[in-house]
Amino acid sequence: MSKKAIGVFVGSLRKDSFSKKIAQNVIDFMPEDFTAQIIDIGGLELYNQDYDDTSAPPASWTEFRQAVGKLDAFLFVTPEYNRSVPAVLKNALDVGSRPYGKSVWDAKPGAIISVSPGKLSAFGANHHLRQSLVFLNVYTMQQPEAYLGNVTDVLGPDGKLTSENTKSFLKSYADAFVTWINHF
């Protein structure tokens, strides 16, 4: 039996991104029969339909679409920018969804973790992302939901979780996501 591949999409490009640190911690909780890796979305050219109407879309789009198309599931870990998802994450969704009828996201399981140094836990970004995923036909796990506020209080300088409660929650979240993926 081959391992199931999970692509992890981080909505922050910042070098010391809290979202990336949380994503790495969740990756570490995945069982051995799953592989999970962060998919780089920072080098994708901005989506422009004119490129899809040519015989040669940007190479980064083609490589991204091929890589994402091979994945079995998606985990999105995102901060909130102005009560929504970061532009880099929305761009990745758009690039992967086109050309029309050839979406690499279609009919695969996904999950969302939103991350914030503030108390609101990036609630707005989480729900805006859910709206896009519904349209893209990503079967997004409904429960448990993951909103991580005050993230600076649960991460050590090495990026590892220092809070046993958060560690336990994210482990149970990863377990629930694996169960969700196995339904498909």
Side-chain angles (χ1 to χ4, degrees):
M1 177 171 78
S2 64
K3 292 184 176 191
K4 292 194 178 180
I6 301 169
V8 181
F9 301 86
V10 176
S12 173
L13 300 179
R14 193 170 62 87
K15 179 180 63 162
D16 290 322
S17 161
F18 302 127
S19 297
K20 189 172 187 178
K21 291 174 182 178
I22 292 297
Q24 191 56 60
N25 279 280
V26 174
I27 287 170
D28 292 344
F29 292 136
M30 290 295 162
E32 287 185 17
D33 53 338
F34 283 75
T35 61
Q37 67 176 17
I38 294 174
I39 306 297
D40 181 26
I41 59 175
L44 292 172
E45 284 88 347
L46 289 177
Y47 180 73
N48 178 338
Q49 187 176 351
D50 288 342
Y51 294 130
D52 277 336
D53 295 337
T54 69
S55 61
S60 68
W61 290 10
T62 301
E63 292 166 15
F64 179 77
R65 290 168 176 165
Q66 289 172 348
V68 174
K70 294 176 185 174
L71 297 171
D72 297 303
F74 316 117
L75 175 62
F76 300 91
V77 184
T78 188
E80 181 173 289
Y81 292 176
N82 303 313
R83 299 285 189 254
S84 189
V85 295
V88 68
L89 185 53
K90 180 64 167 79
N91 187 56
L93 293 174
D94 293 343
V95 168
S97 72
R98 305 299 291 200
Y100 184 77
K102 296 184 180 177
S103 174
V104 297
W105 309 109
D106 188 44
K108 294 183 182 179
I112 302 169
I113 299 172
S114 57
V115 176
S116 173
K119 293 182 192 297
L120 293 179
S121 316
F123 180 86
N126 192 305
H127 284 266
H128 271 186
L129 182 53
R130 284 179 185 278
Q131 289 175 336
S132 293
L133 296 180
V134 165
F135 179 78
L136 296 173
N137 201 31
V138 173
Y139 303 136
T140 308
M141 184 172 74
Q142 300 299 306
Q143 294 294 325
E145 295 176 290
Y147 309 96
L148 298 181
N150 300 316
V151 71
T152 55
D153 296 342
V154 299
L155 287 171
D158 61 354
K160 296 292 182 190
L161 292 166
T162 58
S163 163
E164 288 303 318
N165 286 341
T166 304
K167 196 180 295 184
S168 176
F169 170 72
L170 287 175
K171 172 69 172 106
S172 68
Y173 188 86
D175 291 345
F177 186 38
V178 164
T179 299
W180 181 247
I181 293 166
N182 284 331
H183 286 297
F184 298 92

